[in-house]
Each structure stands twice: as structure tokens, then as C-alpha cells.
Amino acid sequence: MWTCPLKRVSEGGTWNLGFVDQDGTVIWPDAPVLPGTTMLLLQSLDTPKQVTAPVQLADVPKMAAAFATNTTIGVRSLSALDDVQFSQDHPVLAALREGYAGIPGDRL
């Protein structure tokens, strides 16, 4: 996981990072990132509620779940960031996976 000079969480080397807060809202870190296709597709879903907001390193322990996205893995739960443990079976993660799987592919 990378952080910007302001200590905001941003992304990984080949993946975007998202969090689920205690209220079940998906939080996409507001930091310099390369917007991935999977992240953009997930942001187009109507549910669950999603926001883009700064996530400081100090905010990470307050999150209920964390996940990584890219075109190869879709939505992968993260078990930990540093010494902070996360739920891997949070219902919002299941909703994201289901929503992602339901996005129709482009016709070739």
C-alpha cells in the first residue's frame, strides 16, 4: 500500500484500494491514483453507498474491511494492512463482488 506525502493512503503497485467503514459505506481513498477499470466499474454501481474521501494512515484501524481491485482479481478482501486486521467476509464485499459479476461485458 502506498501513501502520498500527506500520509493519505492511495493504492498498490497493480491494484486500487478501497475500504468499508463501520456504517457499510465504501470509501475510495482520495489520493493520487491511476484509476483502474475495475474500480471505475465498481464506482458505477448503485449499491452499496460509495464515497471518495481522504483516508489517513490513522483512519485505517477504524475501517471494518479493506479490499483490492484490478481486472485479474475483481474484488479481493484484504486480511490486514500492517498490523490492522480486517473482516474478510464483510457483507459489503460480497455485494461488491456480486455487483461486479453482474456488470454486462462489452459485445465484441
Side-chain angles (χ1 to χ4, degrees):
M1 169 186 68
W2 293 347
T3 58
C4 73
L6 298 173
K7 301 290 186 205
R8 290 183 184 170
V9 175
S10 61
E11 63 184 353
T14 59
W15 42 272
N16 291 109
L17 176 65
F19 293 96
V20 179
D21 71 9
Q22 297 298 327
D23 296 328
T25 299
V26 173
I27 300 177
W28 297 100
D30 183 12
V33 299
L34 292 173
T37 301
T38 303
M39 179 183 81
L40 294 172
L41 289 169
L42 289 168
Q43 289 175 332
S44 74
L45 298 174
D46 292 332
T47 185
K49 179 181 175 188
Q50 302 182 49
V51 299
T52 301
V55 177
Q56 302 291 131
L57 283 174
D59 298 328
V60 171
K62 301 171 193 167
M63 301 297 174
F67 61 95
T69 67
N70 77 18
T71 56
T72 304
I73 62 170
V75 178
R76 176 176 282 173
S77 60
L78 299 177
S79 62
L81 291 174
D82 293 330
D83 60 347
V84 179
Q85 302 290 314
F86 296 105
S87 169
Q88 292 188 297
D89 59 356
H90 195 284
V92 170
L93 299 178
L96 287 171
R97 287 185 193 108
E98 183 178 317
Y100 182 65
I103 296 171
D106 290 335
R107 187 176 174 152
L108 298 177

